[in-house]
Amino acid sequence: MPAFPRFMPARRRPGLEALEQRCAARLAGLLGGAFTCREELEAFLEHRTSLWNLLTYAHARDDRIELICAWIDVLFVIDDELAHAPPSRIRQSGIHELPAVIDGRPPAVDTAYTRAFEQLREQTVPHTPERVWQRYARTLHEFLNACHTERDLVQGRAVMDLPTYEKHRHSSIGECCFPLLEFGLGIDLTEPLEKLPELQRLNTLAARHWIGVNDVFSYRKELYSGDTMNEIQLALADNGGNLQAAVDRIAATVHRVEAEFDHLTATLRSGLAGQDSTLSAYLDALEAMIAGNLEWSYLTPRYNGRGHTWNGLTDATVILTPERTVYLPHAHTPALDTRRPAHPRPADQSP
């Protein structure tokens, strides 16, 4: 596992543990009916997606962070549903009606998903500048379209190049998070985004950092569940199947992204834009988002397996078992075969 030290550690707000519990309880209330049983809901809650929100939105206002958590937690559930659920379950879920709810139109069906989106929209719109909401609504549409497209690509075993992959993943993994960050900070960056292409580029770089980091950490989960929507899969196809070389290539991309992010933030802070306290606060929040996503990737059982407790190693050798990711210090690891496992476990047996 390559070391990703630049933005560590993540910023933690006071009362983090209790807040995470409240956000998880809110998700259970919002979408409990979308799961087939209590055990399925509990398995999802163990992913600690609420902690992702609390670490990445570390600068969000206290009176808005729980609503942000609810939005992103629901999107995490939708992402899983569209990635793994059978077509009959997806049809019954009402996810196809969510674009209508986003636009303020009544859905044709009443489901846990449509009710959750209606409630979240109702709570968000009155407190959001119109232009920020319009941008957020557009990215929600793009998120749903990207999730549907990724499902089709995985099921069709489509072969993608890296630019095509990045295009889909930017929509499904990150774009909606940035207008939501403006909401969390209580600001409207619509005009600065139009006048400063560097600012939009910073959003793109933050999302690209997430893609690389998340694909490294989530590879174990996706390998054993049959999900091929992972950048490591592309790198493996390009280099003859050497897993270490694939991971190293993605790590190099992440470090290039970090260097460009650092350069752009320094440029903005040293210029006239740096005198704008609103913009300066947003730059600080973007750095916190990168750090939060990275630290959560070490912590979450979503990537590392049920029952996972991170041992704090960041520069480690990892072993990818069907049940969990094992982090070991380099000096105490045996010689490992770094080729991709030849026979992944079928999807219905994945952790």
Side-chain angles (χ1 to χ4, degrees):
M1 173 72 78
F4 297 106
R6 185 180 298 256
F7 291 98
M8 292 287 278
R11 181 175 184 266
R12 283 169 159 73
R13 64 177 66 234
L16 182 69
E17 183 177 346
L19 188 53
E20 181 186 356
Q21 292 174 356
R22 289 203 304 274
C23 289
R26 182 171 183 168
L27 174 61
L30 269 175
L31 276 187
F35 294 87
T36 59
C37 60
R38 182 68 189 182
E39 289 74 18
E40 186 179 73
L41 171 61
E42 292 292 342
F44 181 84
L45 293 177
E46 191 179 343
H47 293 177
R48 303 186 71 185
T49 58
S50 294
L51 181 62
W52 187 88
N53 307 315
L54 297 173
L55 293 178
T56 55
Y57 288 90
H59 289 259
R61 288 167 35 171
D62 290 341
D63 62 337
R64 297 190 175 184
I65 185 60
E66 292 189 44
L67 185 52
I68 290 173
C69 281
W71 269 114
I72 301 296
D73 281 342
V74 168
L75 298 184
F76 265 111
V77 177
I78 291 172
D79 182 51
D80 279 4
E81 188 83 348
L82 290 177
H84 303 297
S88 59
R89 175 166 161 171
I90 292 177
R91 285 193 298 269
Q92 295 169 0
S93 71
I95 290 176
H96 59 284
E97 286 294 315
L98 294 182
V101 180
I102 295 168
D103 295 338
R105 294 178 281 117
V109 296
D110 178 40
T111 70
Y113 288 107
T114 59
R115 289 192 296 273
F117 260 54
E118 286 177 318
Q119 179 177 328
L120 294 176
R121 186 184 191 279
E122 181 179 295
Q123 294 172 347
T124 306
V125 169
H127 305 289
T128 310
E130 182 179 357
R131 296 180 300 180
V132 176
W133 171 259
Q134 289 173 349
R135 286 190 284 115
Y136 181 52
R138 175 181 55 79
T139 59
L140 286 175
H141 283 292
E142 292 171 354
F143 166 82
L144 292 170
N145 289 335
C147 288
H148 284 292
T149 299
E150 288 182 7
R151 177 184 175 90
D152 293 341
L153 290 170
V154 170
Q155 292 187 341
R157 300 186 180 276
V159 177
M160 284 179 290
D161 57 20
L162 185 58
T164 302
Y165 176 81
E166 290 178 333
K167 176 183 177 182
H168 292 303
R169 295 299 278 167
H170 273 291
S171 295
S172 67
I173 204 173
E175 286 297 321
C176 62
C177 294
F178 303 114
L180 200 57
L181 177 59
E182 293 175 51
F183 165 76
L185 297 173
I187 62 176
D188 180 355
L189 291 181
T190 304
E191 290 185 8
L193 284 166
E194 293 171 351
K195 295 177 181 179
L196 294 171
E198 299 93 341
L199 188 56
Q200 180 57 54
R201 179 60 180 167
L202 283 176
N203 287 349
T204 300
L205 289 170
R208 187 62 183 88
H209 195 282
W210 294 347
I211 292 170
V213 168
N214 293 6
D215 280 2
V216 168
F217 283 90
S218 67
Y219 179 65
R220 182 207 62 82
K221 169 182 176 285
E222 293 166 0
L223 171 66
Y224 290 108
S225 67
D227 187 347
T228 58
M229 204 67 183
N230 188 296
E231 189 179 354
I232 286 183
Q233 297 283 2
L234 277 70
L236 284 169
D238 291 343
N239 70 15
N242 185 292
L243 180 56
Q244 188 63 61
V247 170
D248 290 344
R249 189 178 92 172
I250 296 169
T253 298
V254 169
H255 287 304
R256 285 195 299 271
V257 167
E258 289 176 346
E260 185 178 351
F261 185 95
D262 282 351
H263 173 73
L264 279 181
T265 52
T267 299
L268 286 173
R269 285 191 168 113
S270 64
L272 291 176
Q275 301 175 20
D276 183 337
S277 60
T278 297
L279 182 57
S280 180
Y282 186 76
L283 298 181
D284 291 342
L286 280 181
E287 290 185 348
M289 293 187 93
I290 291 175
N293 174 70
L294 177 57
E295 187 161 337
W296 180 80
S297 298
Y298 287 108
L299 293 167
T300 177
R302 181 178 179 86
Y303 295 162
N304 297 290
R306 299 195 68 176
H308 166 76
T309 299
W310 181 41
N311 59 13
L313 291 175
T314 58
D315 186 13
T317 295
V318 299
I319 300 176
L320 309 179
T321 78
E323 289 74 29
R324 63 183 51 86
T325 303
V326 180
Y327 292 77
L328 298 173
H330 292 311
H332 297 87
T333 53
L336 299 175
D337 184 347
T338 59
R339 294 173 297 176
R340 178 185 176 186
H343 300 291
R345 178 181 290 195
D348 62 350
Q349 299 180 35
S350 62

